[in-house]
PDB file of all heavy atoms in Angstrom:
ATOM      1  N   GLN A  52       6.630  28.860  28.225  1.00 95.00           N
ATOM      2  CA  GLN A  52       6.403  30.276  28.059  1.00 95.00           C
ATOM      3  C   GLN A  52       6.128  30.591  26.489  1.00 95.00           C
ATOM      4  O   GLN A  52       6.995  31.116  25.731  1.00 95.00           O
ATOM      5  CB  GLN A  52       7.565  31.148  28.535  1.00 95.00           C
ATOM      6  CG  GLN A  52       7.756  31.020  30.019  1.00 95.00           C
ATOM      7  CD  GLN A  52       9.005  31.721  30.399  1.00 95.00           C
ATOM      8  OE1 GLN A  52       9.990  31.172  30.882  1.00 95.00           O
ATOM      9  NE2 GLN A  52       8.936  33.009  30.412  1.00 95.00           N
ATOM     10  N   TYR A  53       4.872  30.234  26.084  1.00 94.00           N
ATOM     11  CA  TYR A  53       4.607  30.111  24.686  1.00 94.00           C
ATOM     12  C   TYR A  53       4.528  31.525  24.051  1.00 94.00           C
ATOM     13  O   TYR A  53       4.910  31.712  22.849  1.00 94.00           O
ATOM     14  CB  TYR A  53       3.291  29.359  24.417  1.00 94.00           C
ATOM     15  CG  TYR A  53       3.481  27.972  25.018  1.00 94.00           C
ATOM     16  CD1 TYR A  53       2.678  27.473  26.076  1.00 94.00           C
ATOM     17  CD2 TYR A  53       4.414  27.031  24.468  1.00 94.00           C
ATOM     18  CE1 TYR A  53       2.797  26.238  26.529  1.00 94.00           C
ATOM     19  CE2 TYR A  53       4.576  25.807  25.003  1.00 94.00           C
ATOM     20  CZ  TYR A  53       3.721  25.359  26.056  1.00 94.00           C
ATOM     21  OH  TYR A  53       3.865  24.105  26.540  1.00 94.00           O
ATOM     22  N   LYS A  54       4.026  32.480  24.750  1.00 94.00           N
ATOM     23  CA  LYS A  54       3.895  33.810  24.171  1.00 94.00           C
ATOM     24  C   LYS A  54       5.201  34.402  23.857  1.00 94.00           C
ATOM     25  O   LYS A  54       5.494  34.937  22.743  1.00 94.00           O
ATOM     26  CB  LYS A  54       3.178  34.762  25.180  1.00 94.00           C
ATOM     27  CG  LYS A  54       2.961  36.123  24.646  1.00 94.00           C
ATOM     28  CD  LYS A  54       2.121  36.997  25.630  1.00 94.00           C
ATOM     29  CE  LYS A  54       2.026  38.403  25.092  1.00 94.00           C
ATOM     30  NZ  LYS A  54       1.328  39.263  26.061  1.00 94.00           N
ATOM     31  N   GLU A  55       6.149  34.202  24.791  1.00 97.00           N
ATOM     32  CA  GLU A  55       7.581  34.656  24.588  1.00 97.00           C
ATOM     33  C   GLU A  55       8.234  33.974  23.461  1.00 97.00           C
ATOM     34  O   GLU A  55       8.963  34.562  22.619  1.00 97.00           O
ATOM     35  CB  GLU A  55       8.439  34.474  25.850  1.00 97.00           C
ATOM     36  CG  GLU A  55       7.975  35.419  27.012  1.00 97.00           C
ATOM     37  CD  GLU A  55       6.816  34.913  27.821  1.00 97.00           C
ATOM     38  OE1 GLU A  55       6.170  33.877  27.494  1.00 97.00           O
ATOM     39  OE2 GLU A  55       6.535  35.552  28.872  1.00 97.00           O
ATOM     40  N   ALA A  56       7.922  32.657  23.279  1.00 98.00           N
ATOM     41  CA  ALA A  56       8.468  31.882  22.172  1.00 98.00           C
ATOM     42  C   ALA A  56       7.999  32.355  20.872  1.00 98.00           C
ATOM     43  O   ALA A  56       8.781  32.567  19.939  1.00 98.00           O
ATOM     44  CB  ALA A  56       8.119  30.315  22.304  1.00 98.00           C
ATOM     45  N   ALA A  57       6.792  32.654  20.801  1.00 96.00           N
ATOM     46  CA  ALA A  57       6.128  33.104  19.583  1.00 96.00           C
ATOM     47  C   ALA A  57       6.764  34.550  19.223  1.00 96.00           C
ATOM     48  O   ALA A  57       7.033  34.767  18.076  1.00 96.00           O
ATOM     49  CB  ALA A  57       4.663  33.211  19.690  1.00 96.00           C
ATOM     50  N   GLN A  58       6.953  35.369  20.264  1.00 97.00           N
ATOM     51  CA  GLN A  58       7.462  36.747  19.975  1.00 97.00           C
ATOM     52  C   GLN A  58       8.928  36.621  19.437  1.00 97.00           C
ATOM     53  O   GLN A  58       9.267  37.351  18.545  1.00 97.00           O
ATOM     54  CB  GLN A  58       7.480  37.526  21.231  1.00 97.00           C
ATOM     55  CG  GLN A  58       6.063  37.936  21.646  1.00 97.00           C
ATOM     56  CD  GLN A  58       5.966  38.598  23.054  1.00 97.00           C
ATOM     57  OE1 GLN A  58       6.786  38.423  23.899  1.00 97.00           O
ATOM     58  NE2 GLN A  58       4.890  39.322  23.266  1.00 97.00           N
ATOM     59  N   ASP A  59       9.782  35.706  20.022  1.00 98.00           N
ATOM     60  CA  ASP A  59      11.076  35.576  19.612  1.00 98.00           C
ATOM     61  C   ASP A  59      11.169  35.090  18.136  1.00 98.00           C
ATOM     62  O   ASP A  59      11.993  35.566  17.378  1.00 98.00           O
ATOM     63  CB  ASP A  59      11.865  34.550  20.472  1.00 98.00           C
ATOM     64  CG  ASP A  59      12.502  35.313  21.642  1.00 98.00           C
ATOM     65  OD1 ASP A  59      12.277  36.502  21.735  1.00 98.00           O
ATOM     66  OD2 ASP A  59      13.325  34.624  22.392  1.00 98.00           O
ATOM     67  N   CYS A  60      10.247  34.092  17.836  1.00 98.00           N
ATOM     68  CA  CYS A  60      10.191  33.639  16.428  1.00 98.00           C
ATOM     69  C   CYS A  60       9.789  34.729  15.438  1.00 98.00           C
ATOM     70  O   CYS A  60      10.372  34.856  14.333  1.00 98.00           O
ATOM     71  CB  CYS A  60       9.259  32.491  16.354  1.00 98.00           C
ATOM     72  SG  CYS A  60       9.968  30.995  17.213  1.00 98.00           S
ATOM     73  N   THR A  61       8.872  35.554  15.892  1.00 97.00           N
ATOM     74  CA  THR A  61       8.481  36.680  15.021  1.00 97.00           C
ATOM     75  C   THR A  61       9.692  37.586  14.778  1.00 97.00           C
ATOM     76  O   THR A  61       9.886  38.091  13.643  1.00 97.00           O
ATOM     77  CB  THR A  61       7.306  37.517  15.609  1.00 97.00           C
ATOM     78  OG1 THR A  61       6.168  36.489  15.689  1.00 97.00           O
ATOM     79  CG2 THR A  61       6.904  38.653  14.777  1.00 97.00           C
ATOM     80  N   GLU A  62      10.468  37.854  15.793  1.00 98.00           N
ATOM     81  CA  GLU A  62      11.638  38.747  15.644  1.00 98.00           C
ATOM     82  C   GLU A  62      12.645  38.076  14.803  1.00 98.00           C
ATOM     83  O   GLU A  62      13.303  38.727  13.936  1.00 98.00           O
ATOM     84  CB  GLU A  62      12.313  38.974  17.045  1.00 98.00           C
ATOM     85  CG  GLU A  62      11.450  39.966  17.937  1.00 98.00           C
ATOM     86  CD  GLU A  62      11.195  41.341  17.320  1.00 98.00           C
ATOM     87  OE1 GLU A  62      12.142  41.965  16.769  1.00 98.00           O
ATOM     88  OE2 GLU A  62      10.006  41.721  17.295  1.00 98.00           O
ATOM     89  N   ALA A  63      12.833  36.759  14.935  1.00 98.00           N
ATOM     90  CA  ALA A  63      13.761  36.052  14.118  1.00 98.00           C
ATOM     91  C   ALA A  63      13.369  36.115  12.590  1.00 98.00           C
ATOM     92  O   ALA A  63      14.255  36.312  11.670  1.00 98.00           O
ATOM     93  CB  ALA A  63      13.925  34.559  14.544  1.00 98.00           C
TER      94      ALA A  63
END
Side-chain angles (χ1 to χ4, degrees):
Q52 293 178 249
Y53 303 118
K54 183 178 178 184
E55 292 83 353
Q58 290 171 339
D59 271 4
C60 291
T61 297
E62 290 302 314

